[in-house]
Amino acid sequence: MDLTGLTLRVAAARPHVLLAAVPGGAAVRLAAERLLRARDWPQASTPAQADLLLVAGPDLPELRTPLERLWRDMPAPRARVHARTADEVEAALNAGRALLGSPAVRHESAAPPAEAGGHRDGEHGAQERHEGDEQAPGLDGDGGGEGEAGQGTGAEHGDGRQAPDGQDADGQAPDGHAPDGHGDHGDHGGHGGHDGHSGHDGHGGGQTEMPGGLPMAGQGADRDGLTLDQLHLPLGPFLADWPAGLTVRLVLQGDVVQRVDVDEPARPFDDAAAEAFWVQPWLRAASGEPVPVGEAVRRRAAAHLDSLGRLLAVSGWPAEAVRARRLRDDLLSGAPRAAVAPRLERFTRRVGRSRTLAWLTRGIGVVTAQKAREAGVGGPAARAGGDVTSRYRQWLADIRHDLPRLEDPAPLDVAVEDSPRGPWSAEHPPSAALIALLPRLLEGAELAAARLVVASLDPDPDELVSRGAVEVARG
């Protein structure tokens, strides 16, 4: 029996897709997620689970290094494609499936480890390209350290508490499977499997490495003046359910975060500068174009559902994460209010009343409304004035508030209506303040809580690389 051929046929028929979204690629990511659900293709959360790597968004040379790490970590048979716009997603996925069944991939799968290892460095042209590409999709920057820090984040509280019965108030386990057996995480249980995107360089002075690039702990003084081991761990830029392209560098002593540094988001080339998807109505209204309020609040509600999908996935509730993303896509497709309102009401009520989710997230990442505003943060994070629980409940409240206005024809006033993450300003994008707030909230926190904090703020790096922001930065 030709087991290699059988493996290739199975992989090509229903490939597991690792989606690597870059800043400026939100519209591409959304299109890819919709199409993957429609085709029932599983979305992988680590390179080890993936057959097909789909890079979503513009070319960013600064991120090529972490992309190559993802590629090297993918087992054969494998293929890689790049969709720069939403219109290219379907063709890219089709090309990727064709590549998985091609003789070139068959050769790599059958090759001895040494020969296959040569291809794993990204030298196999047939796998690096799809129709119209001149070179492999690229990213650069350091990161790739989406690694092991993501394990167990949502299943345990910051102090290590476990839910006593694994059930929420409705009897649904937050880490249960999606009703249709797949979804954005399939059967990977949300955050629990984010251990494959490892990157190990750029950890700073004093960091030593084992053979193979694995990081070893150094030493440093803790808050009590004792000398303890320190581990430098980057999160991002391609961690599943993570802001696109964001890299947060942690210094850990035990499981406590001692220091946090955040890299500047990678920017596309000048001629490929992308506009931020979630604030498009505000950008257009600011330029003088008439935009109805209904379009803006629909985009804002969809953005909150996108953020909730990430938080619920990280918290270990993939079934509700899938529901959030389906509702998000319905809003973005222009579904009438009467068609989505009952489902949105059920969703917000179910998530808002879940005692287990509130128990898992309470007391984590606390920031008062006053402190948030002093840091330049507005929007839901400032209005919530509290912990992770308060912030996701604020998203739910905002969605309910926006429901009656989905078809409001009145003109949008940018000074009155907040963008999804706060009052819109090209000079000071709301996500810039949210990113600047991360070190304050993460320092002193336990590692298990770090991803929940980031997901509850959900900054959008697209805002920092949008055309409006780039033009203002240039003066």
Side-chain angles (χ1 to χ4, degrees), residues 200-421:
H200 309 296
D201 57 349
H203 296 302
Q207 183 75 0
T208 58
E209 293 186 353
M210 295 172 63
L214 298 175
M216 294 179 64
Q219 288 188 329
D222 76 344
R223 291 173 292 185
D224 299 323
L226 302 176
T227 300
L228 301 176
D229 286 344
Q230 288 184 330
L231 179 66
H232 295 249
L233 178 68
L235 297 179
F238 297 120
L239 185 58
D241 297 303
W242 182 262
L246 180 68
T247 301
V248 177
R249 302 183 182 278
L250 308 179
V251 178
L252 302 172
Q253 286 184 321
D255 63 349
V256 177
V257 178
Q258 296 292 325
R259 191 174 75 248
V260 179
D261 295 303
V262 182
D263 289 1
E264 284 288 326
R267 296 182 182 274
F269 288 124
D270 291 349
D271 58 352
E275 292 181 341
F277 176 80
W278 296 116
V279 294
Q280 277 297 301
W282 287 264
L283 289 171
R284 288 161 44 210
S287 68
E289 179 181 342
V291 177
V293 167
E295 179 183 345
V297 298
R298 181 179 289 269
R299 185 68 60 96
R300 182 169 61 201
H304 292 337
L305 287 165
D306 188 59
S307 298
L308 283 162
R310 290 181 177 178
L311 178 67
L312 291 166
V314 170
S315 300
W317 203 356
E320 289 305 311
V322 169
R323 289 190 181 95
R325 288 160 176 159
R326 285 177 172 162
L327 287 164
R328 171 202 69 191
D329 293 344
D330 289 344
L331 286 176
L332 292 175
S333 67
R337 176 182 175 275
V340 297
R343 294 163 54 217
L344 276 169
E345 290 286 358
R346 287 194 298 271
F347 170 80
T348 58
R349 183 169 59 251
R350 181 176 176 81
V351 174
R353 292 179 180 178
S354 172
R355 291 191 295 269
T356 300
L357 182 61
W359 183 84
L360 287 170
T361 56
R362 70 171 181 241
I364 296 175
V366 177
V367 57
T368 65
Q370 179 180 351
K371 291 294 185 183
R373 292 191 175 93
E374 289 174 357
V377 173
R383 291 196 302 274
D387 54 10
V388 170
T389 308
S390 300
R391 288 192 285 276
Y392 78 71
R393 285 178 172 169
Q394 185 65 54
W395 283 333
L396 296 170
D398 288 354
I399 292 170
R400 288 192 295 268
H401 178 265
D402 284 338
L403 260 178
R405 310 169 63 205
L406 293 180
E407 295 162 0
D408 189 342
L412 172 64
D413 184 347
V414 176
V416 174
E417 294 287 348
D418 283 359
S419 71
R421 290 162 176 85

Side-chain angles (χ1 to χ4, degrees), residues 37 39 54 76 120 142 170 203 319 337 345 355 375:
R37 280 200 306 274
R39 293 186 174 190
L54 172 61
R120 290 175 72 85
D142 198 39
D170 305 289
H203 296 302
R337 176 182 175 275
E345 290 286 358
R355 291 191 295 269

Side-chain angles (χ1 to χ4, degrees), residues 152-178:
T153 303
E156 65 177 1
H157 190 279
D159 58 6
R161 298 197 301 268
Q162 295 289 334
D165 56 4
Q167 301 288 323
D168 73 357
D170 305 289
Q172 166 83 22
D175 59 349
H177 297 296

Side-chain angles (χ1 to χ4, degrees), residues 32-78:
E33 289 179 356
R34 285 194 300 270
L35 190 55
L36 290 176
R37 280 200 306 274
R39 293 186 174 190
D40 194 24
W41 288 11
Q43 187 170 331
S45 58
T46 71
Q49 299 164 342
D51 309 306
L52 176 61
L53 174 62
L54 172 61
V55 183
D59 289 306
L60 282 87
E62 293 179 43
L63 294 176
R64 284 197 180 119
T65 299
L67 177 66
E68 289 303 321
R69 291 196 190 103
L70 297 186
W71 177 242
R72 288 196 301 268
D73 289 343
M74 287 175 59
R78 59 182 184 151

